Amino acid sequence: MEVFLTSPWIPAEWIRAHGLEPRAIWSAPQFWSRTFPLSAGVCAFAEAAVKFSGVRSDAAVVFTTTCDQLRRGFDASLLNGGGRTNFLFNLPVVWQSPIAKELYRSELDRLGQFLLELGGHPVTPEGLRRELLRYAEIRKRLRAAAPSSSARQFAEAVASFQWEGAFSSAPAAAPGKTVSLAIVGGPFCSAHWPLLEVLEAAGGRVVLNATESGERSLCPSCEFAADNDEPFEVLLNGYFGGIVDVFPRPNTRLYTWLRPRLRSREVRGIVLWHFTGCDLWRAEAPSLREAFGLPVLLLEAEEAPGASPRAVNRLQAFVETLK
Ligand code: SF4
């Protein structure tokens, strides 16, 4: 059975170790297959997740408490009939207290129980260890490839990892005189990838994809320091310590992670990618400007897939100002 995840902070390894198939929901073919009318003030991503869960009643969907939109989306999905196959994972917002880690641990246990009810099998330490090692190796290879890869093909390689748990290499970008850019924000789905080509045609290149579906999603690091490390503890420490996102309070990990990458890749401007109705990312623009001293372009995901003429114009103008 497929289990669709609305966040990279839900361990795919945990689902695979139960014998089920984890998938990043934003990579699903039906996710953006039609234009969703925007309900006033509702994030298009959260809305798409609710509609997707209604269409794919043969699969499970794991929502999270990342934001009110997704939490309410879960409630709406229950009204849509998803009571048996949808799950709400409580992600701790405050991460600096020991209680937060215990909450994450208990949520993993609760998710495990849900996976068993879906037909998954009990996890064995060897099975979990095998998945952790495999995923850690792929993440390491993708992270190593990130700085020099073609932006589009790197996005495809991460999507393939988040869909199949497999590694596919991304070829290096062609050298040339370009303006180095970072894209920071929420999920940047395959329907939006044409924007990367728009940037390249304008003379820019994304050297840091810090969206939820890009390099930032590869942060969890589940490494075994010793042979007798308990796999569940490795999973817990790797994920709980690897949540690099806008929603935790404080969200200093996000800035600590961005800073050395922006500097070493000589980024000249940041595209802040956010969905309509996503106040979390939108509100981050002044802090990003102030923290890094870089120009920030707020780019709103349209509810329709593809690169809209308005988005194309704004990206072209942004790159021009940085040349
Ligand atoms: S994009 Fe923003 S509003 Fe939408 S689900 Fe993610 S955090 Fe919530």
Side-chain angles (χ1 to χ4, degrees):
M1 184 182 204
E2 291 177 305
V3 180
F4 289 91
L5 309 177
T6 57
S7 164
W9 317 128
I10 310 297
E13 297 94 318
W14 188 230
I15 289 152
R16 260 191 211 284
H18 281 85
L20 302 173
E21 294 177 39
R23 310 268 193 231
I25 197 168
W26 46 82
S27 296
Q30 302 98 324
F31 193 67
W32 295 108
S33 59
R34 59 204 162 97
T35 303
F36 294 109
L38 270 188
S39 312
V42 175
C43 157
F45 176 78
E47 187 165 12
V50 174
K51 292 191 174 174
F52 178 85
S53 77
V55 173
R56 287 294 311 269
S57 52
D58 58 318
V61 177
V62 180
F63 291 77
T64 70
T65 52
T66 303
C67 64
D68 286 345
Q69 301 261 9
L70 218 41
R71 194 181 295 125
R72 282 196 220 112
F74 171 73
D75 293 341
S77 79
L78 298 187
L79 297 175
N80 248 355
R84 204 188 73 77
T85 52
N86 293 350
F87 183 89
L88 182 66
F89 193 104
N90 287 293
L91 279 172
V93 172
V94 180
W95 54 275
Q96 288 169 316
S97 85
I99 296 169
K101 189 169 176 184
E102 288 314 302
L103 171 65
Y104 193 86
R105 178 196 297 278
S106 67
E107 286 300 285
L108 285 177
D109 285 338
R110 207 167 61 82
L111 176 62
Q113 191 55 44
F114 170 74
L115 297 172
L116 292 176
E117 285 162 15
L118 288 180
H121 59 61
V123 171
T124 62
E126 309 77 56
L128 180 56
R129 182 186 168 86
R130 196 168 46 244
E131 293 301 340
L132 287 170
L133 289 171
R134 199 168 68 76
Y135 271 70
E137 177 60 24
I138 298 175
R139 280 200 191 94
K140 206 181 291 173
R141 292 172 75 183
L142 285 170
R143 283 195 297 254
S148 58
S149 293
S150 129
R152 167 78 188 235
Q153 277 142 351
F154 180 72
E156 286 173 3
V158 176
S160 154
F161 169 56
Q162 292 177 331
W163 186 261
E164 311 205 52
F167 176 76
S168 60
S169 61
K177 275 201 151 198
T178 55
V179 176
S180 296
L181 300 164
I183 181 163
V184 179
F188 188 68
C189 315
S190 57
H192 306 123
W193 293 344
L195 292 171
L196 298 172
E197 278 141 20
V198 168
L199 277 171
E200 283 181 16
R205 186 166 82 83
V206 170
V207 294
L208 176 61
N209 178 345
T211 65
E212 205 150 311
S213 45
E215 188 178 341
R216 190 165 56 79
S217 71
L218 305 173
C219 285
S221 180
C222 301
E223 303 285 348
F224 286 80
D227 281 351
N228 58 356
D229 280 352
E230 174 61 42
F232 184 81
E233 294 302 315
V234 172
L235 174 83
L236 173 66
N237 292 331
Y239 269 86
F240 183 73
I243 298 175
V244 174
D245 210 322
V246 69
F247 72 87
R249 289 292 171 259
N251 61 13
T252 41
R253 272 185 191 160
L254 175 65
Y255 287 78
T256 305
W257 183 83
L258 283 170
R259 190 176 301 283
R261 289 165 180 81
L262 292 171
R263 194 173 292 150
S264 65
R265 298 181 204 179
E266 300 178 345
V267 169
R268 309 250 310 271
I270 296 173
V271 177
L272 179 54
W273 173 255
H274 68 98
F275 284 86
T276 311
C278 178
D279 294 336
L280 272 179
W281 278 111
R282 192 181 174 83
E284 217 54 31
S287 308
L288 286 168
R289 273 191 202 103
E290 192 186 337
F292 304 122
L294 291 170
V296 173
L297 173 74
L298 268 159
L299 190 67
E300 194 166 289
E302 315 285 332
E303 67 270 30
S308 71
R310 184 165 170 272
V312 170
N313 287 341
R314 297 191 67 226
L315 285 172
Q316 286 171 338
F318 187 56
V319 175
E320 275 308 311
T321 62
L322 298 173
K323 279 182 178 167

